[in-house]
Amino acid sequence: AEKFIKDPKSVDGFSAVELSKNLGIPLHPHHIHYYAALNSEEAKQLVLAVRGAKKIMDGKKMSGLVLNETAKPLLEKIGLPHKFTEGKIIVGEEFAYPFFITFGGATDETPQDGMPVLEMLGKLCGIEIRDKGGTFIGARMGRPEAAKPREMKGNPHVLFPVGLYLSLIHI
């Protein structure tokens, strides 16, 4: 626990899950992803994929998770790092155990219909899962250094009266 207090980023996935369960605190943000980007149907699909996944074990510790290729678009949507090899998706050691627990791999509980995704995952794993991303705002970015000057047709470089002030001008 002292190591975690001195450097909170040093906690591994297994320790993060155990700390969350034992202390009743939300899962460490490093070990969650953008789950709110999923709708409830997509979350259910991912729960089924995780429950059908093959665990790669290193002794008693999970060192990886092998999913079928149908889960790839959902993993990309939540931003979970993974490798695609020979038609199989491999989630590495760093994120395998927290992902497996979060998506109900250790339980048989059925996800409820119409429930918000974060609440559904919290009920499945018994840990509070918070939104990592909040609100996303996107914009198209150009290259201002490559833009050409915009020229207007005619001679727009004059002042002219606008609105009610027209009647105040004496000619």
Side-chain angles (χ1 to χ4, degrees), residues 35 47 102-103 116-127 129:
Y35 302 139
V47 167
T102 302
F103 277 87
V117 174
L118 298 176
E119 191 177 325
M120 177 195 323
L121 295 177
K123 283 194 172 197
L124 284 175
C125 68
I127 301 170
I129 305 295

Side-chain angles (χ1 to χ4, degrees), residues 9-142:
K9 292 182 181 179
S10 69
V11 68
D12 65 329
F14 182 78
S15 300
V17 169
E18 294 307 311
L19 280 170
S20 293
K21 283 185 176 184
N22 293 336
L23 300 177
I25 58 175
L27 189 59
H28 193 284
H30 180 71
H31 300 287
I32 61 173
H33 297 86
Y34 303 102
Y35 302 139
L38 300 173
N39 61 36
S40 62
E41 283 302 314
E42 292 170 332
K44 283 183 187 178
Q45 289 175 5
L46 210 45
V47 167
L48 294 175
V50 166
R51 288 183 178 166
K54 179 185 172 199
K55 295 183 269 186
I56 302 170
M57 301 301 284
D58 182 19
K60 291 185 178 182
K61 260 187 148 175
M62 183 185 294
S63 63
L65 195 62
V66 180
L67 300 157
N68 62 18
E69 63 184 76
T70 58
K72 185 162 179 55
L74 300 175
L75 297 180
E76 290 172 353
K77 194 170 185 178
I78 63 173
L80 179 70
H82 59 278
K83 292 180 184 176
F84 187 72
T85 309
E86 299 173 8
K88 296 176 184 175
I89 298 169
I90 300 170
V91 178
E93 181 177 357
E94 184 177 7
F95 299 111
Y97 185 71
F99 176 68
F100 180 76
I101 294 298
T102 302
F103 277 87
T107 67
D108 292 332
E109 188 175 334
T110 307
Q112 295 178 2
D113 291 331
M115 184 180 281
V117 174
L118 298 176
E119 191 177 325
M120 177 195 323
L121 295 177
K123 283 194 172 197
L124 284 175
C125 68
I127 301 170
E128 182 182 352
I129 305 295
R130 292 190 178 168
D131 190 7
K132 184 172 185 171
T135 302
F136 293 102
I137 299 173
R140 184 177 181 276
M141 300 298 289

